Amino acid sequence: MKRIKWLSVLLLLAGAFCLAGCLNEDNEEDGVKITGHKEYVMTVASKKLAYAIFSGRDSFTEAYAVKKEGSQTWEPLMYISDFDYEEGYEHELRVSETSYYDERRSEPSWTEYKMLELVNKTEKQSEGLPGSFIDEQCYNPVEVRYAVEADNKAVIENDIRNNRSIPFGCSYVFAYDNANWLLADANNDVRAYGSVSRKNVDSSEFPESYKLLPPDGQVLSSMEWTFYCILNDAKTEYRSYDVFMVERKDGKNTSAPVMNDKNYMTTAGTNVHPWLYEDLTEYYKAKYPDAGVKAVVVCHTF
């Protein structure tokens, strides 16, 4: 009986070693190795914050603001699988954090997060959040100007000041190559983000109304900038502007990244700025037919 019992144990051990060997072979064939795994409780803030992704080509998005167990610092996290996020609620999750390595990939190391359990969900505004996960020095405050020729200027000007499509009090952030952009309000909450295309155009095709708001400086070139918005992973046209690239009269320099007339990044300390124009005459004629609208132009620069 003892001999039979020991024989059974040996067979079980042999089977276990064989299974382990098969798993190792599969792991080597896949080329993916698990280099770390842990589980803990994570707090997810009640709102997402602006975040820049630096990977080949800079781009902007929004990220979860999270506190890992034992930490008092909010940090960005792009994705948590199996997590159904609801803005306005602070979530406590038990999550798994698994790190992987695959030498065949261009970025061989990565980490994945997965929700294992929803511990708590509270309707509240999370406290102590930063304005965003983007360096404040990257924000370019927008200066808006407008000119109105109309019998009833007051109603048009009041509408302009309350028009959310006009970036009063906002700031732009541009990626290093200026191919991607983000627009944030005065509280650094994200209004929109996406990509931008630019092309040189002949300014003689611009509306005459732009002469009501001449740029402060020497015009070096004229362009058209089309902003595309990313919403639910879909790219749609957000706004298109006629643009003058202008060298400032006052000679004040800026360290903000701006474009030169060749569509390339200028060096820090440039005094060349884009002036973005829109002719809204037809829009306001249709909206206020009794206001006697003759010309409405809005421009902003940064």
Side-chain angles (χ1 to χ4, degrees):
M1 293 293 291
K2 289 183 177 180
R3 184 176 297 174
I4 294 173
K5 181 178 180 181
W6 279 108
L7 182 59
S8 300
V9 172
L10 289 172
L11 287 171
L12 285 171
L13 287 173
F17 283 123
C18 183
L19 178 61
C22 291
L23 290 173
N24 286 335
E25 287 178 5
D26 290 342
N27 195 41
E28 289 176 3
E29 287 178 4
D30 292 341
V32 179
K33 297 179 181 178
I34 295 176
T35 58
H37 178 84
K38 53 186 175 181
E39 299 178 7
Y40 52 87
V41 174
M42 171 189 289
T43 301
V44 182
S46 56
K47 71 174 184 176
K48 294 181 178 181
L49 301 180
Y51 181 55
I53 300 174
F54 303 102
S55 178
R57 194 174 195 183
D58 302 349
S59 61
F60 299 104
T61 184
E62 292 178 286
Y64 298 120
V66 305
K67 280 184 184 177
K68 296 181 179 179
E69 189 170 355
S71 174
Q72 297 301 312
T73 303
W74 294 105
E75 56 185 276
L77 186 60
M78 283 298 301
Y79 184 72
I80 306 170
S81 63
D82 296 340
F83 174 42
D84 187 13
Y85 176 74
E86 187 174 356
E87 187 173 359
Y89 289 81
E90 190 172 273
H91 302 73
E92 284 189 27
L93 317 175
R94 188 169 70 86
V95 300
S96 64
E97 177 185 318
T98 307
S99 299
Y100 298 90
Y101 179 81
D102 183 353
E103 62 184 8
R104 299 168 301 178
R105 294 171 49 141
S106 58
E107 295 184 8
S109 300
W110 74 96
T111 301
E112 295 181 0
Y113 297 84
K114 180 178 181 179
M115 187 185 84
L116 304 175
E117 178 188 357
L118 177 61
V119 178
N120 193 25
K121 179 179 176 181
T122 307
E123 187 174 9
K124 61 177 293 188
Q125 296 300 314
S126 298
E127 299 176 353
L129 288 171
S132 76
F133 292 120
I134 299 174
D135 191 327
E136 290 185 2
Q137 294 182 355
C138 296
Y139 284 84
N140 300 286
V142 175
E143 177 188 345
V144 178
R145 303 182 183 188
Y146 56 87
V148 176
E149 288 187 347
D151 296 337
N152 190 345
K153 289 180 61 175
V155 68
I156 306 301
E157 290 177 344
N158 183 66
D159 190 288
I160 290 173
R161 288 190 291 268
N162 290 282
N163 189 335
R164 277 187 55 82
S165 69
I166 300 172
F168 285 100
C170 292
S171 296
Y172 279 113
V173 183
F174 283 91
Y176 185 77
D177 59 2
N178 269 15
N180 293 284
W181 61 280
L182 178 147
L183 182 67
D185 65 16
N187 298 316
N188 284 348
D189 290 332
V190 177
R191 277 201 182 183
Y193 62 89
S195 60
V196 58
S197 66
R198 300 169 300 275
K199 64 179 181 181
N200 293 318
V201 296
D202 186 349
S203 62
S204 64
E205 300 175 2
F206 289 173
E208 287 292 314
S209 61
Y210 294 171
K211 294 180 180 179
L212 297 172
L213 285 175
D216 290 343
Q218 179 184 355
V219 175
L220 303 180
S221 64
S222 53
M223 307 178 72
E224 180 182 274
W225 287 19
T226 302
F227 289 76
Y228 295 92
C229 183
I230 307 298
L231 183 62
N232 297 326
D233 296 325
K235 179 180 174 180
T236 58
E237 185 170 331
Y238 176 72
R239 210 81 176 177
S240 186
Y241 298 98
D242 297 323
V243 179
F244 291 114
M245 299 304 297
V246 179
E247 185 174 27
R248 293 171 62 123
K249 286 180 180 178
D250 56 19
K252 291 182 180 178
N253 290 341
T254 176
S255 59
V258 297
M259 298 299 295
N260 62 18
D261 58 342
K262 302 290 187 183
N263 288 0
Y264 293 104
M265 179 72 64
T266 60
T267 57
T270 183
N271 65 340
V272 178
H273 296 256
W275 286 59
L276 286 67
Y277 283 78
E278 280 186 294
D279 185 299
L280 300 179
T281 304
E282 296 305 317
Y283 170 80
Y284 278 109
K285 279 184 177 180
K287 188 171 183 178
Y288 298 101
D290 299 326
V293 175
K294 299 175 181 64
V296 179
V297 59
V298 176
C299 111
H300 65 277
T301 185
F302 48 88

